[in-house]
Amino acid sequence: MSRVLVTGGASGLGAALVARFVADGHQVLSTDLAAESPAADGAQYRQLNVRDASDWEAAVAWCEENWGGLDILVNNAGIATGGRIDVESLDEWDRVVDINLMGVVRGCRAFTPLFKRQRSGHIVNTASAAGLVHPPMMSSYNTVKAGVVALSETLSHELHPYGVTVSVVCPSFFRTNLGDSIRGDDTEMGATARRLIEKSPRTADDIAAGVVAGIKKKQFLIIPDRPALLAWRTKRFARPLYDRQMRKIAARARERAETQVPSTGER
C-alpha cells in the first residue's frame, strides 16, 4: 500500500486518479483549491494552491505527521490555455506559466528533500501530448507542457541516485471540465480547444487507467492513449509528414482569421 498525494484532485483527471488509487487500496490525499471538497470514499482532502509555496510546505508537514512520509506525488493540477502569439496576452502567459509549470516545480522542490531522506519516492508530473508535439496556435500551452517534460527528464536523472523515480504523463484530448479554465483574448482558439475536449471519445477514467498502469511499471514517459502515441511517433519517425500536418492546421487557421472579425487582442 502506497501513500499518494494528488493535486487538482477535485475534478477531471485528478479525481479519476484519486478514485483509482483508492480502489487499488492506497492511502490517498486529494488536494485542490477549495477549502472543502468531496473526495472519493476512502480518500482524505486538503486545500492546496499550487501557486503558494507555504501550502506546499504545509502539505509536506501533513504527510510526515500523519503518514510518516509519502510514496507517490502526483503533480496534476493545471489549466487549459492557448492562442495565437500576437493575440494571447502576456498576463495569460504569466498565469499558465505560474500554474502549469511553476506549480509542478514547487511540488517537486517541496517533496524532494523528504524523498531524498527516505531514499525512495515516485514523482508523477502531468504534462500533455502538447509537451511532445507542438501544434500551432498553442504556444503558451505547448511551452509549459514541454517544460514539464524537460523538468521531469532532468529530475529522473538527478534523483536516481536517491532511489526516486520520475514519470511524466502525456495524454491527448479527453473529456473533462478542463475547458472551463480557458480564458484569454483569443476566443476563437479557446472555442476550438473546448470542442476538442468535449468531443473526445476518451474519458478521464480511461486516461487514469493508463496512467496508473504506467506508474506501476515505473515508466518515465506515460502516453496513455493511442492518438497521443501516434502523434509522438509521427514526429519522431516521419517528421516531413508531421510538419505537413502542422502547417495545414496553421493554414486553415489563417483562412478563418482572415474571414472573421479580429479577436479582442488584435485591436
Side-chain angles (χ1 to χ4, degrees):
M1 181 174 67
S2 295
R3 301 158 295 182
V4 186
L5 186 154
V6 180
T7 68
S11 63
L13 179 58
L17 287 169
V18 167
R20 191 160 289 270
F21 279 123
V22 169
D24 286 349
H26 301 298
Q27 290 180 289
V28 183
L29 178 62
S30 172
T31 72
D32 216 302
L33 279 171
E36 295 182 3
S37 179
D41 289 342
Q44 299 184 68
Y45 178 82
R46 180 180 179 86
Q47 184 179 32
L48 194 160
N49 180 353
V50 299
R51 306 173 83 171
D52 189 334
S54 64
D55 275 12
W56 279 111
E57 292 172 5
V60 174
W62 188 97
C63 291
E64 291 184 299
E65 291 166 9
N66 291 274
W67 288 345
L70 186 72
D71 300 303
I72 302 174
L73 168 66
V74 184
N75 286 308
N76 171 77
I79 60 171
T81 187
R84 291 160 287 181
I85 189 63
D86 54 336
V87 180
E88 187 177 15
S89 71
L90 291 178
D91 285 343
E92 186 64 8
W93 270 87
D94 288 342
R95 175 173 172 257
V96 72
V97 168
D98 199 27
I99 297 172
N100 286 19
L101 179 55
M102 293 307 300
V104 176
V105 171
R106 293 184 190 98
C108 293
R109 277 180 53 84
F111 274 94
T112 287
L114 171 61
F115 287 155
K116 283 183 174 181
R117 291 195 300 272
Q118 293 178 166
R119 291 295 193 269
S120 67
H122 194 158
I123 297 172
V124 182
N125 296 328
T126 299
S128 166
L132 304 174
V133 298
H134 307 128
M137 288 79 69
M138 291 178 58
S139 55
S140 63
Y141 195 72
N142 293 346
T143 298
V144 295
K145 292 303 186 179
V148 172
V149 173
L151 171 67
S152 301
E153 181 179 342
T154 302
L155 296 185
S156 73
H157 304 309
E158 181 178 327
L159 299 180
H160 184 265
Y162 298 92
V164 178
T165 303
V166 180
S167 299
V168 63
V169 179
C170 296
S172 62
F173 291 104
F174 58 94
R175 294 198 305 278
T176 181
N177 63 343
L178 188 63
D180 295 341
S181 66
I182 297 174
R183 304 178 190 171
D185 293 334
D186 200 338
T187 54
E188 180 186 336
M189 180 58 205
T192 299
R194 275 187 285 271
R195 284 195 299 272
L196 289 169
I197 292 169
E198 292 166 2
K199 293 182 178 180
S200 172
R202 293 167 297 282
T203 66
D205 288 337
D206 296 332
I207 300 301
V211 172
V212 171
I215 292 171
K216 288 178 180 178
K217 296 175 184 176
K218 296 191 173 181
Q219 293 176 342
F220 167 68
L221 181 59
I222 301 174
I223 304 179
D225 62 275
R226 183 173 175 79
L229 184 61
L230 180 60
W232 178 65
R233 287 178 173 171
T234 301
K235 182 177 180 179
R236 289 190 70 196
F237 302 116
R239 185 58 187 253
L241 173 59
Y242 167 82
D243 287 341
R244 286 197 298 273
Q245 291 173 335
M246 294 299 106
R247 288 168 187 173
K248 284 180 182 178
I249 294 171
R252 289 196 295 269
R254 176 186 171 182
E255 290 172 3
R256 289 195 302 271
E258 291 180 348
T259 57
Q260 294 179 2
V261 176
S263 328
T264 305
E266 294 182 309
R267 288 196 297 254

